[in-house]
């Protein structure tokens, strides 16, 4: 259940199962109301098939509860704008990420991710821990049996953003990046700092391709983010991606640069 933090997904599945039982509904009857087959319902309830937002919305329809489960997920797990992206990320066969400011979330170490999340000083320690657990849980998609091909392009400035008090965390993060880049389904490419102007300077984004070939994008901003599914907008992001990727170093040279940055601190 990589699209939601696993404890939350298991909790929601349990609540749906209990609600179905209380309503006296068989899996087949529930499935008719939710828009899924009985076998699909059985697989979700048995936690052998991922819980998705489509299933959650279907459960709300079947129970005519006014969207209770969708609100519950939004309240406990992730902001509502992010949920469609989690669905896309979970079933992706390819992921393409551009990050000019931070290491992509799917490749962050626990220490680095905690430091990034703590930049929001309105969060309590409990909220930081919850967001950290959700971020680390999402990373499991890169190690699953049918893991997506993930190509991450990062600005060199991201690697060098390390003052004395942050250098230890950053060294661990770069070491993790180089290790992840050795996996057959993961590529990490660096846009050198001497590429002064390029299409990616306007901000980060990530693209996910589903098995049916459809792409979905996600843009990040100070208020959270935006999921992009309009064909024309997605085509624009794909075009920008190719332009940025062309400015990046090849895989081996990128790894050498990452190692060189860490070595320069010792």
């Amino acid at each position: 259940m990589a699209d939601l933090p696993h404890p939350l997904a298991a909790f929601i599945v349990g609540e749906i199962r209990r609600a179905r039982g209380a309503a006296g509904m068989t899996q087949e009857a529930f499935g008719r109301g939710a828009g899924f087959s009985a076998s699909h319902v059985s697989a979700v309830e048995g936690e052998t098939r991922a819980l998705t937002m489509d299933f959650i919305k279907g459960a709300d329809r079947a129970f005519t509860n006014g969207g209770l489960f969708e609100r519950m997920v939004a309240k406990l797990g992730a902001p509502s704008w992010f949920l469609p992206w989690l669905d896309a990320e979970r079933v992706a066969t390819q992921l393409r990420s551009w990050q000019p400011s931070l290491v992509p979330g799917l490749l962050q170490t626990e220490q680095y991710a905690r430091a990034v999340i703590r930049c929001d000083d309105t969060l309590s320690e409990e909220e930081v821990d919850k967001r950290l657990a959700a971020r680390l849980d999402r990373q499991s998609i890169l190690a699953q049996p049918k893991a997506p091909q993930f190509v991450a392009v990062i600005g060199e400035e991201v690697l060098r953003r390390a003052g004395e008090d942050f250098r230890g965390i950053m060294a661990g993060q770069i070491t993790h990046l180089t290790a992840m880049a050795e996996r057959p389904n993961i590529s990490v490419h660096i846009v050198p700092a001497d590429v002064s102007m390029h299409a990616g300077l306007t901000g980060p984004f990530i693209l996910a391709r589903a098995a049916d070939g459809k792409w979905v994008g996600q843009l990040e901003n100070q208020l959270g983010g935006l999921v992009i599914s309009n064909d024309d907008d997605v085509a624009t992001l794909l075009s920008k991606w190719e332009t940025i990727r062309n400015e990046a170093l090849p895989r081996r040279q990128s790894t050498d640069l990452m190692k060189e940055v860490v070595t320069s601190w010792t």
Side-chain angles (χ1 to χ4, degrees):
M1 294 186 181
D3 57 330
L4 296 176
H6 184 271
L8 172 61
F11 169 74
I12 296 295
V13 167
E15 291 302 305
I16 290 174
R17 187 190 305 114
R18 278 187 284 275
R20 182 177 63 77
M25 300 173 70
T26 64
Q27 289 179 336
E28 184 176 1
F30 170 80
R32 283 198 299 270
F36 294 91
S37 67
S39 61
H40 189 123
V41 174
S42 177
V44 171
E45 291 190 353
E47 298 191 20
T48 60
R49 187 162 188 161
L51 176 68
T52 66
M53 283 308 301
D54 282 345
F55 191 90
I56 290 168
K57 291 176 181 178
D60 286 334
R61 288 194 303 271
F63 297 133
T64 60
N65 60 14
L68 174 63
F69 289 117
E70 185 176 3
R71 292 198 306 274
M72 190 181 296
V73 170
K75 181 68 174 178
L76 298 178
S80 58
W81 70 265
F82 197 50
L83 297 177
W85 173 253
L86 292 176
D87 277 350
E89 184 179 80
R90 179 189 60 80
V91 300
T93 59
Q94 296 180 39
L95 291 166
R96 297 177 179 178
S97 172
W98 158 242
Q99 261 291 356
S101 306
L102 296 168
V103 173
L106 291 177
L107 298 177
Q108 292 177 3
T109 64
E110 181 174 349
Q111 285 185 304
Y112 184 94
R114 184 180 292 276
V116 171
I117 294 168
R118 273 184 171 159
C119 288
D120 185 346
D121 57 11
T122 67
L123 299 176
S124 66
E125 278 301 307
E126 181 180 358
E127 290 170 323
V128 169
D129 288 342
K130 186 164 63 174
R131 292 194 183 191
L132 176 63
R135 183 166 302 181
L136 297 179
D137 187 77
R138 284 173 53 218
Q139 295 177 356
S140 65
I141 66 168
L142 297 179
Q144 63 190 12
K146 292 184 178 180
Q149 288 291 328
F150 183 31
V151 182
V153 180
I154 305 170
E156 183 181 347
E157 297 84 354
V158 175
L159 307 179
R160 299 189 183 278
R161 187 169 290 109
E164 291 293 336
D165 59 337
F166 194 64
R167 193 157 290 175
I169 292 176
M170 198 65 219
Q173 175 62 75
I174 295 175
T175 300
H176 178 67
L177 277 177
T178 58
M180 294 295 283
E182 293 176 358
R183 296 187 182 184
N185 63 310
I186 299 174
S187 298
V188 178
H189 300 269
I190 308 300
V191 175
D194 60 9
V195 180
S196 55
M197 297 296 291
H198 60 82
L201 295 178
T202 52
F205 60 89
I206 184 168
L207 290 151
R209 185 179 188 267
D212 63 3
K214 183 175 177 59
W215 287 90
V216 176
Q218 184 225 324
L219 305 177
E220 298 177 15
N221 59 55
Q222 288 290 337
L223 297 178
L226 181 66
V227 176
I228 306 297
S229 57
N230 175 274
D231 288 346
D232 290 341
D233 292 338
V234 169
T236 297
L237 289 179
L238 285 168
S239 176
K240 286 183 177 293
W241 160 264
E242 293 297 337
T243 301
I244 298 165
R245 174 65 185 83
N246 287 339
E247 297 289 358
L249 296 173
R251 189 173 187 173
R252 182 175 298 179
Q253 287 180 253
S254 294
T255 298
D256 289 343
L257 177 57
M258 288 189 284
K259 292 178 178 178
E260 176 188 314
V261 170
V262 175
T263 302
S264 71
W265 295 337
T266 60

